[in-house]
Amino acid sequence: MSDLAPTARRTTPDGGRRTRAAGNRGHWALRDQPALLWLLLALVMTAIHPFVPDSRWLMVHLVLLGALTHAIMVWSTHFTQALLKTRPGLDDRRAQSIRLWLLLAGTVLTLVGVPTARWPVTLVGASLVSAAVVTHGVQLVRRLRGALPGRFRVTVRYYVAAALALPVGAGFGATLALGLSDVWHGRLLLAHTMTMLLGWVGLTVTGTLLTLWPTMLRTRIAPPAERRATQALPGLVASLALLVGGALLDVRWLSVVALVGYLASLAWWASAVLSPVRQAPPREFAPSSVGLALVWGLAALTMVLWRLAGAGNWADFVNGFGWTSAVIVVGFAAQLLTGALSYLVPSVVGGGKTVVRAGARWFDRWGTARLVTINVGLLLCLLPVPSIVRVIVSLLVVAALATFIPLMILGIRASSRAKREVAAARERGERPAGARPAPGAEAGTPDRMPSIWSGGQLVAALSALVLAVSVGVAADPAAAGLGGSGVGVAEGTVAGGDASAAVTPTGNTTTVTVEAHDMRFEPASITVPAGDRLVIELVNMDDNNVHDLQLLGERSPRLGTGDSATLDVGVVGGPAQGWCTIVGHRQMGMVFDVFVGGGDGGTAAEGAEGSGQDGQDQRGAGQHGGDQYGAGQDDDGHGGPGIAAFPSTATPLLDPGARVQDVVDPVLAPLGEERVHRLTLTAQELELEVAPGVTQTRWTFNGQVPGPTLRGRVGDVFEITLVNDGTLGHSIDFHAGALAPDQPMRTIAPGESLVYRFTAERAGIWMYHCSTAPMSSHIAAGMAGAVIIEPEEGLPEVDREYVLVQSEVYLVPGSGQGEEPAAEVDADAVAGERPAFVTFNGVAGQYGPAGEMFEAEVGERVRFWVLVAGPNRPTSFHIVGGQFDTVYAEGAYQLGPQSEGAGAQALALQPAQGGFVELTFPEAGHYSAVSHIMVDAERGAHGVVRVTD
């Protein structure tokens, strides 16, 4: 915008006159560095987000509230001065610096207050941000009144309207931080998001692009652009007001109509403002990035409109909003900011075209590769790809965005160096070398920079993305639908019946459509003429669960909601049975029978029989031909209904000297002062240790078993965001809250999220767990944790507190040991109640002599919280050599502090029950803590308390 930067004259001490730009020429640390710092922090948060509470909220607000808001404050002031040409003293750099420091302080407090649930800190932060922006708006009005009539004054009016929107949006945001019901949360989320996005950011962007867009394209402003921008402003402001009003009044149809009105006004504005792109397509990084950002901004508004119109209620609108946030932050905000700064930063350094080009060349570096990686990568992440693919591709997107930071630093240095060289050349009376056209510029067009578009960079970026997708698919082929058996069916051979059976192919093909609904296939059975080739069109009609179908050695991809696939199983020569291979689904009845017409008329299930409950593998007559897994075992080696069961003696004895690699810390964190607890629980499927030297593919909350322990008081509000980053449908159920399960406890598909809010009204230690069917398998796989709620007045203080969540591990025999790969939970063993291990905090024997023991000192009062997650086994918690003087179970004292002289030896709990015991140790030594159901203690539910003097 250097051609719009006005000049002012001042008298030098010697009476001469010196010309200087009034647009903050040169480097100004407070202008250039904070936005860069916020972007850097956003990148760091992206890297460490699995380990930071409320990380997604922080990533969004580091970009929008931190970097983008700072840039708006700086550059709207710059553009206002450039357009109005007011006297410099009206709003000098000192006044601007005060506002920017105020904004910086408010942003920091807000980013601290919300994740830590300190609402007063959040309120102060929001107030400081609002004060900075309101003061900024007042200065804009002063400039308008003090300026002579001129063109493009409407831009400043856009800025004033935007400044009025921010404190309103900040107020909504601060109210959201209080923790509200689903209804009010959804209404205020819409009001807050739209006020900030369409008001503060949207009005600023539309006002600025009136002049900046053609300037970046190095072409003229369209003649009707100013008039249409003036006409569009009332429509944009009125539509925003109606949209917010509809949200607050719970009139969603009004918000839908208002959003359509905003889009219509935006289209009228764009019809003239953006038209120069037809005459001068973007050649440099800056206009290309800004243009793509506008496309993603329109996509984000379309997504909001779609969700708003299609949501059954406000909770539905909120759930899954994370993808819209990703589009807003990555596609729109980040690209808009980096694109605009790529043009503006070199322009304001001053020194002429030579200096501008020197910096701009750095901002244009690798432009094609960066833009393709960011935009195609973001599009891939929005598609229903496997989780691991999304993770790898998103890393490439973040890396492409991150390159802006070093390029900006190098660009500023290059501009500063060129400015000094130009000044030195002029002092020597020489023509600066850089005054000639830039290398690669078109002849006769010295103002045009070389084009960033490169076929080589395009190929390189697409190749990197293809490689990322390939690596992700290779890491999790089953999630990508490539985890079939790999056994093909040769032309003219038999795929069904006994392996030695002979059938003459008829040459005909039987095609049938099979739908997966809940935990069943429809139809559940079909009859196929012997010798026909069978082709199944499988469609997943389940709302949230992932399903597939394995039949006669062939397996379909895992299908999400609405997905379909074709499964060609070849020529059928006998009865067969297929099933869904997702853990537990077969056991719940997801089987598919194929009968053969003109044959023996037997059922498919009959072909799977022939093995009793003694676990002996009876291969032969009852074995399906073409099933390379043996007598009815699926691809994971699991058994199923009517197939060979594993021996009940599969439980290995633990080696008392073996060490656990990663011991789960049993120490209970102290109760804090916050009354609103916010936590993001991410469902992930990871390989974890379940016993010394034994691993299993665990289904986890936040990558750990058990999930994080929550702690609060009666009356506290818990706001939990569940994010499904796995490959299966998952859900969550908090026993500590009392509310209808229909919405907050529903199963969500991979890539989706929901917000679960409850108020703790009763004390105790409560279980939370995944409630997706089969619930037993999801809990046994590790998806459970504890919520400890103390009475409002608190509990008596103790010297040490430990928390133990007892659960079982159901292990496929031999898996996860030595060179054998880890398998998922054995659903048949769960149904047969045959645990391989019983654990405290997810790992058998981890608190034994060879591990990390519980610590205590003689005379200290120690409290053990115990929760039985199950899914099947109870406990009788006992400490050998100790006596409990306090026993609390299921919200009530069985042996209270006033029961002098009485004692207890065990805390008996059934699955989903919990409590605590307290005791003091009389002398130094080693005290075993066990489940006194001794077979379970031997399976791993044991530990040692080491007591020292």
Side-chain angles (χ1 to χ4, degrees):
M1 207 50 199
S2 56
D3 55 332
L4 291 179
T7 60
R9 296 189 179 274
R10 68 178 182 181
T11 302
T12 61
D14 60 0
R17 300 176 68 84
R18 179 183 302 163
T19 300
R20 71 170 179 85
N24 293 336
R25 292 290 189 183
H27 174 67
W28 175 24
L30 195 57
R31 177 194 65 199
D32 301 327
Q33 293 179 3
L36 204 62
L37 176 62
W38 290 125
L39 287 176
L40 182 60
L41 289 175
L43 293 172
V44 172
M45 184 58 60
T46 303
I48 64 174
H49 76 275
F51 314 104
V52 179
D54 286 318
S55 57
R56 291 172 183 261
W57 183 92
L58 283 169
M59 286 187 284
V60 169
H61 287 79
L62 282 168
V63 175
L64 297 180
L65 179 59
L68 193 57
T69 295
H70 175 86
I72 288 174
M73 290 278 284
V74 167
W75 296 106
S76 59
T77 299
H78 170 82
F79 274 83
T80 298
Q81 176 64 20
L83 293 169
L84 300 182
K85 298 179 174 61
T86 54
R87 56 185 176 85
L90 187 63
D91 185 23
D92 58 15
R93 180 173 290 184
R94 180 175 178 275
Q96 296 176 39
S97 296
I98 293 174
R99 295 200 299 270
L100 292 178
W101 280 116
L102 197 64
L103 173 66
L104 185 62
T107 303
V108 170
L109 289 176
T110 303
L111 294 175
V112 170
V114 173
T116 59
R118 288 176 168 82
W119 192 76
V121 176
T122 303
L123 181 61
V124 172
S127 300
L128 291 179
V129 171
S130 300
V133 174
V134 168
T135 307
H136 167 72
V138 170
Q139 291 298 329
L140 295 177
V141 173
R142 289 183 62 201
R143 287 177 181 267
L144 267 177
R145 290 179 177 177
L148 295 174
R151 296 184 65 191
F152 308 120
R153 293 167 61 91
V154 67
T155 291
V156 186
R157 296 192 178 97
Y158 271 83
Y159 294 161
V160 173
L164 293 174
L166 182 133
V168 177
F172 293 146
T175 306
L176 278 170
L178 280 170
L180 306 168
S181 65
D182 282 343
V183 172
W184 270 107
H185 183 84
R187 291 155 66 179
L188 281 175
L189 177 65
L190 177 64
H192 168 68
T193 304
M194 294 298 98
T195 304
M196 302 301 279
L197 180 63
L198 304 185
W200 172 238
V201 176
L203 294 175
T204 302
V205 170
T206 50
T208 301
L209 290 182
L210 173 62
T211 54
L212 181 62
W213 179 246
T215 304
M216 288 193 298
L217 294 174
R218 306 185 189 280
T219 186
R220 293 185 178 277
I221 300 174
E226 184 179 10
R227 174 171 49 85
R228 293 193 186 178
T230 303
Q231 294 167 346
L233 180 58
L236 294 171
V237 173
S239 297
L240 177 59
L242 285 175
L243 193 158
V244 173
L248 297 179
L249 296 173
D250 198 14
V251 185
R252 275 195 297 132
W253 66 264
L254 179 60
S255 295
V256 171
V257 172
L259 187 51
V260 172
Y262 189 97
L263 290 170
S265 299
L266 199 61
W268 182 248
W269 166 87
S271 63
V273 174
L274 301 184
S275 61
V277 76
R278 294 196 297 268
Q279 289 78 36
R283 294 166 46 86
E284 302 168 41
F285 178 83
S288 303
S289 183
V290 170
L292 289 167
L294 296 179
V295 173
W296 282 111
L298 180 62
L301 293 183
T302 305
M303 293 170 71
V304 172
L305 181 62
W306 179 266
R307 293 189 63 81
L308 193 59
N313 51 48
W314 286 109
D316 288 343
F317 172 77
V318 172
N319 293 320
F321 199 79
W323 289 118
T324 307
S325 299
V327 171
I328 293 171
V329 174
V330 178
F332 174 67
Q335 291 201 105
L336 177 73
L337 184 60
T338 55
L341 292 180
S342 295
Y343 180 83
L344 292 170
V345 171
S347 298
V348 299
V349 173
K353 296 174 182 176
T354 301
V355 177
V356 171
R357 290 193 190 111
R361 289 190 192 101
W362 281 101
F363 286 96
D364 284 352
R365 289 286 179 95
W366 314 305
T368 300
R370 291 156 61 196
L371 292 172
V372 171
T373 302
I374 293 168
N375 291 278
V376 177
L378 177 58
L379 184 61
L380 284 172
C381 290
L382 296 175
L383 297 176
V385 296
S387 175
I388 187 63
V389 172
R390 187 175 291 114
V391 169
I392 297 173
V393 171
S394 65
L395 290 176
L396 284 180
V397 173
V398 170
L401 287 169
T403 56
F404 173 78
I405 295 176
L407 290 177
M408 179 176 176
I409 296 172
L410 293 171
I412 293 174
R413 290 181 177 178
S415 294
S416 300
R417 186 185 308 111
K419 187 175 183 179
R420 291 193 300 270
E421 293 173 354
V422 168
R426 286 173 177 167
E427 288 180 1
R428 295 191 301 267
E430 300 173 358
R431 179 182 181 183
R436 292 185 292 274
E442 295 180 0
T445 57
D447 286 343
R448 302 190 73 181
M449 293 286 294
S451 174
I452 65 166
W453 300 112
S454 162
Q457 291 186 33
L458 173 64
V459 171
L462 292 178
S463 299
L465 290 169
V466 169
L467 179 61
V469 173
S470 301
V471 170
V473 170
D476 190 2
L482 302 177
S485 65
V487 176
V489 181
E491 189 69 32
T493 62
V494 180
D498 188 272
S500 61
V503 64
T504 302
T506 64
N508 298 326
T509 299
T510 297
T511 302
V512 61
T513 298
V514 178
E515 296 181 347
H517 290 273
D518 298 323
M519 290 295 165
R520 66 186 186 280
F521 290 114
E522 292 184 358
S525 63
I526 58 172
T527 300
V528 181
D532 271 18
R533 178 174 293 275
L534 174 61
V535 176
I536 297 174
E537 301 289 345
L538 180 66
V539 183
N540 184 7
M541 302 300 292
D542 199 323
D543 287 339
N544 295 292
N545 277 314
V546 176
H547 296 297
D548 63 8
L549 174 61
Q550 177 170 293
L551 178 64
L552 299 173
E554 294 297 316
R555 190 169 80 177
S556 75
R558 290 183 175 182
L559 304 179
T561 302
D563 291 344
S564 61
T566 299
L567 185 66
D568 186 344
V569 299
V571 176
V572 177
Q577 185 178 76
W579 55 85
C580 178
T581 69
I582 306 299
V583 171
H585 289 196
R586 183 181 187 184
Q587 286 74 13
M588 294 195 68
M590 288 201 77
V591 293
F592 179 73
D593 290 318
V594 178
F595 305 124
V596 176
D600 57 13
T603 68
E606 288 172 352
E609 293 175 355
S611 61
Q613 294 303 314
D614 59 359
Q616 299 300 313
D617 186 1
Q618 300 181 14
R619 304 175 187 267
Q623 181 179 339
H624 298 161
D627 184 352
Q628 88 268 27
Y629 299 110
Q633 294 181 7
D634 66 16
D635 59 313
D636 289 323
H638 299 168
I643 62 178
F646 289 119
S648 60
T649 58
T651 301
L653 293 177
L654 292 173
D655 180 356
R659 290 189 62 88
V660 172
Q661 296 298 316
D662 296 307
V663 175
V664 177
D665 187 1
V667 176
L668 179 63
L671 180 62
E673 296 299 325
E674 65 273 14
R675 301 309 300 267
V676 178
H677 307 265
R678 292 184 176 88
L679 178 67
T680 297
L681 291 178
T682 302
Q684 299 170 299
E685 295 147 23
L686 304 170
E687 183 176 342
L688 298 177
E689 194 173 20
V690 294
V694 183
T695 61
Q696 185 183 47
T697 299
R698 303 286 264 164
W699 303 348
T700 71
F701 291 121
N702 288 7
Q704 63 186 74
V705 176
T709 299
L710 286 70
R711 191 174 192 181
R713 299 178 181 84
V714 170
D716 284 6
V717 174
F718 289 81
E719 181 179 300
I720 310 300
T721 301
L722 174 65
V723 178
N724 189 349
D725 199 22
T727 61
L728 312 172
H730 293 300
S731 59
I732 196 163
D733 171 10
F734 282 93
H735 293 188
L739 68 169
D742 306 62
Q743 289 298 319
M745 301 181 198
R746 70 184 186 278
T747 296
I748 59 174
E752 293 186 354
S753 64
L754 61 80
V755 178
Y756 189 129
R757 293 179 191 80
F758 65 91
T759 299
E761 298 178 349
R762 292 176 174 83
I765 177 170
W766 304 84
M767 181 179 176
Y768 70 86
H769 60 90
C770 178
S771 57
T772 297
M775 201 180 303
S776 58
S777 291
H778 284 255
I779 294 173
M783 303 194 79
V787 181
I788 295 175
I789 304 299
E790 294 192 12
E792 195 162 8
E793 65 276 10
L795 290 172
E797 290 188 6
V798 293
D799 297 296
R800 299 177 190 263
E801 282 186 284
Y802 296 102
V803 60
L804 301 179
V805 177
Q806 179 179 304
S807 61
E808 302 114 54
V809 173
Y810 294 88
L811 195 68
V812 174
S815 68
Q817 303 174 56
E819 298 299 323
E820 292 298 319
E824 293 178 304
V825 61
D826 186 345
D828 279 325
V830 176
E833 299 188 41
R834 300 188 304 275
F837 303 108
V838 179
T839 74
F840 288 152
N841 293 340
V843 185
Q846 64 178 323
Y847 304 122
E852 301 293 332
M853 292 182 279
F854 309 110
E855 300 289 342
E857 294 183 5
V858 173
E860 284 186 331
R861 174 160 289 275
V862 183
R863 178 181 295 149
F864 282 88
W865 291 88
V866 182
L867 174 73
V868 179
N872 297 326
R873 304 290 296 172
T875 195
S876 177
F877 183 72
H878 170 72
I879 295 181
V880 178
Q883 294 181 332
F884 305 138
D885 57 31
T886 302
V887 178
Y888 179 97
E890 287 298 284
Y893 281 100
Q894 296 179 350
L895 183 65
Q898 286 77 35
S899 305
E900 294 186 9
Q905 57 197 312
L907 172 64
L909 300 169
Q910 289 292 324
Q913 291 187 331
F916 68 79
V917 293
E918 294 177 10
L919 77 163
T920 58
F921 294 93
E923 58 184 351
H926 295 79
Y927 298 73
S928 294
V930 300
S931 169
H932 219 288
I933 302 175
M934 294 313 300
V935 65
D936 289 343
E938 293 164 355
R939 287 167 168 159
H942 63 256
V944 174
V945 184
R946 180 166 53 198
V947 179
T948 57
D949 287 331

